[in-house]
Amino acid sequence: MFSLSFVTCATLALCLPSSNGTVVIPPSSTSYWFSQPVDHFGLNRNTWSQQYVVNATFYKPGGPIYMVTPGEEPLSSYYTDRTHFTDLAQKTNGLLVAVEHRFYGKSNPMPDLSGASLKYHTVENVLEDFAAIIRAAKRNPSTVFPIPVSANSKIVFGGGSYGGALAAWMRALYPKLVAGAWSSSAVVQYHLQNYQLDQSWGKHLQALGCANAIAKAVKDLDAILLSRNATAIRNIQTEFGTPALTPRDFAGLVTSLISAAAMAPNYVDLDYTRTTVCSFFNGTQSNLSHMPQPLSA
């Protein structure tokens, strides 16, 4: 079950051959939508639209198709235009397709994130989403791609971190659809509680002399959020510039910021824990305005 809809009629015109027979390549920022069932393996056959983008700049007949996913990140043309897969496509005359993961960005099978909805957020459904797009592309490429593409093009699935794991699983579970996988920094061992990362970062904080101050800040923040004191919670969220968030979402934001600092050495050369976090708590920097976010693979 599949269908393709372009964003506007103007966009559709970009995807058709011009009057002189040449193919006009649409911008890689153009969004396309693929119809998927809510549950590939169950009784809920309602459909939803999965977003994807295409960079056809380098494609020549016979070139491979690189399908990538941002995993738990929202989709953008960054994933077709600014990664090492872009370099690979240029060197191999390939086509780039980036597909948004269900329940992230604009690709939402359900109207909310309740437990009843998230039961459809399974690895099996995620992988079958990607497989369904590949099957459609092999059956009739024109229903998926905005330019003429060979139905026999080899599919190479790629991703980093969680996306890297998805790439490896796609190759393992769908070997007839996926000819190869580029699995970068893949999650190879699952941990429900990865406390070892916290311990490693804690030792780093101790060496920098700010561990006690950060521990106290976290303890004080927990006390405020658990107090159910609406005034105190609103005041602390206002201090962070996020008064409109729910307390749960605010806690998630703070957790993400801490995770970004803890994992920054994996993504950049600078130690933001030293230059930004501890410098603030040690009194040598006035704010956390330069707090990093981890770069996507």
Side-chain angles (χ1 to χ4, degrees), residues 1-3 34-37 40-41 45 50 65 67 99 124-145 150-153 155 157 170 173-178:
M1 181 184 299
F2 62 91
S3 65
F34 190 88
S35 181
Q36 300 277 18
H40 289 280
F41 310 101
R45 304 303 290 179
Q50 185 168 24
I65 296 172
M67 178 177 284
V99 185
E124 291 80 6
N125 270 320
V126 170
L127 298 177
E128 185 60 24
D129 287 340
F130 301 137
I133 295 176
I134 296 173
R135 291 192 194 97
K138 287 184 173 294
R139 186 164 48 241
N140 188 352
S142 65
T143 64
V144 176
F145 303 122
S150 170
N152 297 321
S153 297
I155 305 290
F157 204 101
M170 283 298 296
L173 294 177
Y174 299 95
K176 293 183 178 180
L177 297 179
V178 178

Side-chain angles (χ1 to χ4, degrees), residues 18 28 70 115 131 169:
S18 64
S28 57
W169 293 334

Side-chain angles (χ1 to χ4, degrees), residues 152-217:
N152 297 321
S153 297
K154 298 294 185 181
I155 305 290
V156 177
F157 204 101
S161 190
Y162 169 52
L166 292 173
W169 293 334
M170 283 298 296
R171 170 62 179 152
L173 294 177
Y174 299 95
K176 293 183 178 180
L177 297 179
V178 178
W182 188 301
S183 182
S184 178
S185 301
V187 183
V188 295
Q189 187 173 5
Y190 176 77
H191 292 277
L192 183 61
Q193 296 291 338
N194 190 12
Y195 61 88
Q196 292 92 342
L197 177 62
D198 294 336
Q199 290 178 335
S200 176
W201 194 51
K203 293 178 180 178
H204 190 41
L205 295 177
Q206 289 177 339
L208 295 173
C210 62
N212 291 338
I214 291 179
K216 183 179 185 304

